[in-house]
Amino acid sequence: MKIGKRTIKLETSPSITGFAAVAGKKEGQGPLGKEFDYLYPDGLIGEKTFEKAESLMQKDAATRAIQKANLTPDKVNVAFAGDLLNQCIGSNYGLRDLNIPFVGLYGACSTMAESLLMASVFVDRGLASNALAVTSSHFCSAERQFRYPLEYGGQRTPTAQWTATASGAVVVSSSVQAPYVKGCCIGKIVDLGVKDINNMGAAMAPAAADTIHTFLQDTATDPQQYDKIVTGDLGQIGSNLLVQLLRQDGIDISANHEDCGLLLYDQETQDVHAGGSGCGCSAAVLCSILLKKIMAGVYRNVLFIATGALMSTVTNQQGESIPGIAHLVHLSSDRWEEK
Amino acid sequence: MKIGKRTIKLETSPSITGFAAVAGKKEGQGPLGKEFDYLYPDGLIGEKTFEKAESLMQKDAATRAIQKANLTPDKVNVAFAGDLLNQCIGSNYGLRDLNIPFVGLYGACSTMAESLLMASVFVDRGLASNALAVTSSHFCSAERQFRYPLEYGGQRTPTAQWTATASGAVVVSSSVQAPYVKGCCIGKIVDLGVKDINNMGAAMAPAAADTIHTFLQDTATDPQQYDKIVTGDLGQIGSNLLVQLLRQDGIDISANHEDCGLLLYDQETQDVHAGGSGCGCSAAVLCSILLKKIMAGVYRNVLFIATGALMSTVTNQQGESIPGIAHLVHLSSDRWEEK
């Protein structure tokens, strides 16, 4: 059933039967360090390159999530995955050996929500019994692809965010156990003309506002009906802008809004400037405390909105602005009541 | 309904209500030149860069397909799109202004089948009334990203293929008019260790063989039951390998197999070596003669299998092999009979 303009209600309330987050050393030293399934001691993880290390992280997260769902890869009907690297090599090589039917996605840092949304829709509509959603980012592979060689040590602006070294994976199944996925809202590409690639939060905030506004309108619900409204990686600046943009629309999320980019690191001590970012940032937060708290019933209803900046170094060099996108997933400790 | 291992039957037989192909000068001079909706006189199309030109092609193909479906963009519930460029900027910037809920994909040259598959599934399962599938490639943007600067004029090997400058778009609707989409099969990542980036056909052929074999097995059908089995862009070498691989499995597709990479250009006169390639190659062939012939009933049943090579320049430089993927869509001039 579609509700309103864009919101999809998942009538069967698909279950999240397995989830896992793996992360790097710096992420392990942050406030969520103890919540992750595995922490790598260094950035290469025994591989020869950072890109191979990122692939390994995705494979690791996916394998752990599948195991925690008491499944084997051959029982997973479809995998939705993507990442920030050119041609999404983190996913393509990371999931290569799992032999699972594969739908490659590109949603930049919105990928955790995009993949979870697709996996949930596939299970809800009987297209899959078990579906996998996975994504990753790696500080070193992202930094050298999007910005400067690591050795250069370029100074970062106060608005810049820190790309997380992390991967998160979720298995969605047609089962009856919390957490449940009750609905979702596919994002639109929103571009208000921000051109500063050192301020991704500002570029993505309008897309998050658009998706949250649409979802609340479609479902005729208020922010207060959700324990948490958790955005992906807007960081400090993007988060402030999001609250401000929604306030202009008469929506106040300030009491229950949190941002994964502000949860992953200690803003005081870890020198990440405006916060964390990267596909792995929201993935690692979702696949650790967020899903654990929903499973335990600490949070009953959570909106998870991962945000992505859909630019490339080429579009930036050609003077283009940065389009943003935000996909939303409604997670809950309860199912929809059966009629 | 899922059939067998991976095949999804689309019970409602969603309709393709609009489709359009736009292409460059060289493609216009090929055997299908007259079949395209629009031919651009040059590679820049009035834009400052090849990347902006590629975005414009996607916007153009999408807009034409929507118009031909007698719709406006606001009636399209979701768009599935992707391309070869880093961070899929062809799609992200091409569809930015259309204001359609957007699911970004990355499937390399398999994107036309991947996006059409997703659009068809969304319409079949009541998630969308109208869904858009679109992709593109551009010789100049691809060549300079994946190989050499254009000015270098590097010599091409006999196994190399020519990246098509083209875009194709399809609108799938819950309607009753041919062509219909009756089923689909999501591909797996298959990597038999081919490392030669100048021989993509060989890298992708095993994935095509796997998907075709699985679909025929799942549906208990023979190649002879399909008027055409059309692969994406295997070119001459990949096509030969595909026929050979399937023959080893006891499946003979030689009588009705065609490849978009061999249909788009004149192999004798257009100097494309092993054939055409790029997301736009299979997209332009599908969205011109292929869908026209199915609509007219010349072909009653066609399997369309677009193939993708999931590598990047980075994985190649790091000594990795090239994983392939192939997604399949079953197109028909007839619906499934209602029970």
Side-chain angles (χ1 to χ4, degrees):
Chain A
M1 187 175 113
K2 280 196 88 228
I3 310 171
K5 286 191 292 180
R6 271 153 60 189
T7 300
I8 296 167
K9 183 176 177 182
L10 302 176
E11 299 274 6
T12 69
S13 316
S15 286
I16 292 176
T17 51
F19 57 89
V22 295
K25 193 174 170 184
K26 187 181 179 92
E27 291 69 27
Q29 292 163 344
L32 305 183
K34 288 181 195 153
E35 305 292 340
F36 301 128
D37 291 76
Y38 194 76
L39 294 173
Y40 302 107
D42 63 59
L44 281 171
I45 322 174
E47 294 289 331
K48 282 188 176 170
T49 69
F50 300 122
E51 290 76 17
K52 286 181 198 276
E54 183 168 347
S55 293
L56 186 64
M57 288 200 307
Q58 273 204 37
K59 186 178 179 178
D60 198 1
T63 305
R64 287 169 189 272
I66 293 167
Q67 277 170 353
K68 287 169 79 176
N70 287 316
L71 294 170
T72 46
D74 60 301
K75 301 292 180 205
V76 180
N77 307 108
V78 61
F80 295 93
D83 56 88
L84 284 172
L85 297 178
N86 297 345
Q87 288 72 56
C88 298
I89 53 171
S91 305
N92 297 341
Y93 287 80
L95 302 188
R96 175 171 58 174
D97 298 334
L98 295 187
N99 202 30
I100 300 171
F102 176 80
V103 178
L105 302 178
Y106 185 76
C109 302
S110 76
T111 307
M112 192 66 244
E114 187 187 8
S115 59
L116 177 55
L117 184 163
M118 294 300 308
S120 304
V121 160
F122 261 59
V123 171
D124 185 63
R125 302 300 155 115
L127 296 154
S129 302
N130 302 294
L132 176 71
V134 55
T135 190
S136 67
S137 57
H138 192 301
F139 178 81
C140 300
S141 63
E143 201 64 21
R144 70 179 182 174
Q145 176 184 279
F146 284 111
R147 295 181 187 88
Y148 301 105
L150 293 162
E151 297 79 359
Y152 177 68
Q155 199 169 2
R156 304 168 64 246
T157 68
T159 56
Q161 294 172 237
W162 188 274
T163 306
T165 299
S167 176
V170 175
V171 175
V172 183
S173 306
S174 53
S175 179
V176 184
Q177 65 183 82
Y180 298 101
V181 189
K182 292 174 101 166
C184 55
C185 185
I186 297 172
K188 283 185 178 179
I189 303 172
V190 179
D191 188 340
L192 295 193
V194 173
K195 291 189 175 189
D196 182 359
I197 51 160
N198 290 308
N199 192 354
M200 295 293 190
M204 300 187 293
D210 175 70
T211 299
I212 294 170
H213 189 160
T214 301
F215 177 83
L216 294 174
Q217 202 168 45
D218 283 354
T219 55
T221 54
D222 294 316
Q224 290 67 38
Q225 292 174 249
Y226 303 94
D227 301 282
K228 293 285 170 192
I229 295 175
V230 185
T231 46
D233 57 345
L234 294 177
Q236 193 59 64
I237 291 157
S239 291
N240 293 349
L241 287 170
L242 171 65
V243 170
Q244 204 176 316
L245 282 166
L246 284 173
R247 205 166 266 157
Q248 286 173 7
D249 294 350
I251 297 167
D252 186 2
I253 62 163
S254 59
N256 46 357
H257 172 251
E258 285 191 348
D259 183 72
C260 297
L262 296 173
L263 294 169
L264 187 59
Y265 301 106
D266 185 322
Q267 290 294 118
E268 299 295 318
T269 62
Q270 288 195 292
D271 194 29
V272 295
H273 295 220
S277 70
C279 305
C281 175
S282 61
V285 176
L286 174 76
C287 298
S288 59
I289 44 153
L290 216 51
L291 287 175
K292 284 183 194 177
K293 284 192 178 174
I294 299 167
M295 195 159 67
V298 178
Y299 297 156
R300 289 193 60 190
N301 283 288
V302 170
L303 301 183
F304 173 70
I305 309 107
T307 51
L310 301 175
M311 40 66 68
S312 78
T313 54
V314 168
T315 58
N316 181 250
Q317 285 157 7
Q318 293 180 0
E320 269 289 3
S321 53
I322 304 169
I325 196 158
H327 300 291
L328 180 150
V329 181
H330 173 195
L331 301 160
S332 179
S333 59
D334 308 304
R335 318 183 62 195
W336 290 116
E337 279 176 41
E338 291 192 48
K339 283 163 195 164
Chain B
M1 190 176 113
K2 280 196 87 228
I3 311 172
K5 287 191 292 182
R6 269 153 61 188
T7 300
I8 296 166
K9 184 176 177 182
L10 303 176
E11 299 273 6
T12 68
S13 316
S15 286
I16 291 177
T17 50
F19 57 89
V22 296
K25 193 174 171 184
K26 187 180 179 91
E27 292 69 26
Q29 290 163 347
L32 306 183
K34 289 181 194 154
E35 304 292 340
F36 300 128
D37 291 77
Y38 194 75
L39 294 172
Y40 302 107
D42 63 58
L44 281 171
I45 322 176
E47 294 290 331
K48 282 188 176 170
T49 70
F50 299 123
E51 291 76 17
K52 286 180 197 277
E54 183 168 345
S55 292
L56 186 63
M57 289 201 305
Q58 273 205 37
K59 186 179 181 180
D60 198 1
T63 306
R64 286 169 189 272
I66 293 168
Q67 276 170 355
K68 287 169 80 177
N70 287 316
L71 295 170
T72 45
D74 60 301
K75 301 290 180 205
V76 180
N77 308 107
V78 61
F80 295 93
D83 56 88
L84 284 172
L85 297 178
N86 297 345
Q87 288 73 54
C88 299
I89 52 171
S91 305
N92 297 341
Y93 286 80
L95 301 189
R96 175 171 57 173
D97 299 333
L98 295 187
N99 202 30
I100 300 171
F102 176 80
V103 178
L105 303 178
Y106 185 76
C109 302
S110 75
T111 307
M112 192 67 245
E114 187 187 7
S115 59
L116 177 54
L117 184 162
M118 294 301 310
S120 304
V121 160
F122 262 59
V123 170
D124 186 62
R125 300 301 155 116
L127 296 155
S129 302
N130 302 294
L132 177 71
V134 55
T135 189
S136 66
S137 57
H138 191 302
F139 177 80
C140 299
S141 62
E143 201 63 22
R144 71 178 180 175
Q145 176 183 280
F146 284 109
R147 295 180 187 89
Y148 302 105
L150 293 162
E151 297 80 358
Y152 176 69
Q155 199 168 0
R156 303 168 64 246
T157 69
T159 56
Q161 295 173 236
W162 188 275
T163 307
T165 299
S167 175
V170 175
V171 176
V172 183
S173 307
S174 53
S175 178
V176 184
Q177 66 183 81
Y180 298 101
V181 189
K182 292 174 100 165
C184 55
C185 185
I186 297 173
K188 282 185 179 179
I189 304 173
V190 179
D191 187 340
L192 295 194
V194 173
K195 291 190 175 189
D196 182 359
I197 50 160
N198 290 308
N199 192 355
M200 294 292 189
M204 300 188 293
D210 174 70
T211 300
I212 294 168
H213 188 158
T214 301
F215 177 84
L216 293 174
Q217 203 167 44
D218 283 353
T219 55
T221 54
D222 294 316
Q224 290 67 40
Q225 292 174 249
Y226 303 94
D227 301 282
K228 293 286 171 192
I229 295 175
V230 185
T231 46
D233 55 346
L234 295 176
Q236 192 60 62
I237 291 158
S239 291
N240 292 349
L241 287 170
L242 171 66
V243 170
Q244 206 176 311
L245 282 166
L246 285 173
R247 203 167 268 156
Q248 286 173 6
D249 295 349
I251 297 167
D252 186 2
I253 62 162
S254 60
N256 46 359
H257 172 250
E258 286 191 346
D259 183 73
C260 297
L262 297 172
L263 294 169
L264 187 59
Y265 302 105
D266 185 321
Q267 291 293 118
E268 299 294 319
T269 62
Q270 287 196 292
D271 194 30
V272 294
H273 296 218
S277 70
C279 304
C281 176
S282 61
V285 175
L286 174 75
C287 298
S288 59
I289 45 154
L290 216 51
L291 286 175
K292 284 182 193 177
K293 283 191 177 174
I294 299 167
M295 194 159 66
V298 178
Y299 297 156
R300 288 193 61 190
N301 283 287
V302 170
L303 301 183
F304 173 71
I305 309 106
T307 52
L310 300 176
M311 40 66 68
S312 78
T313 54
V314 167
T315 58
N316 181 251
Q317 285 157 6
Q318 293 181 0
E320 270 289 3
S321 53
I322 304 169
I325 196 159
H327 300 290
L328 181 150
V329 181
H330 173 196
L331 301 160
S332 179
S333 59
D334 307 305
R335 318 183 60 194
W336 290 115
E337 280 176 40
E338 291 192 50
K339 281 163 195 163

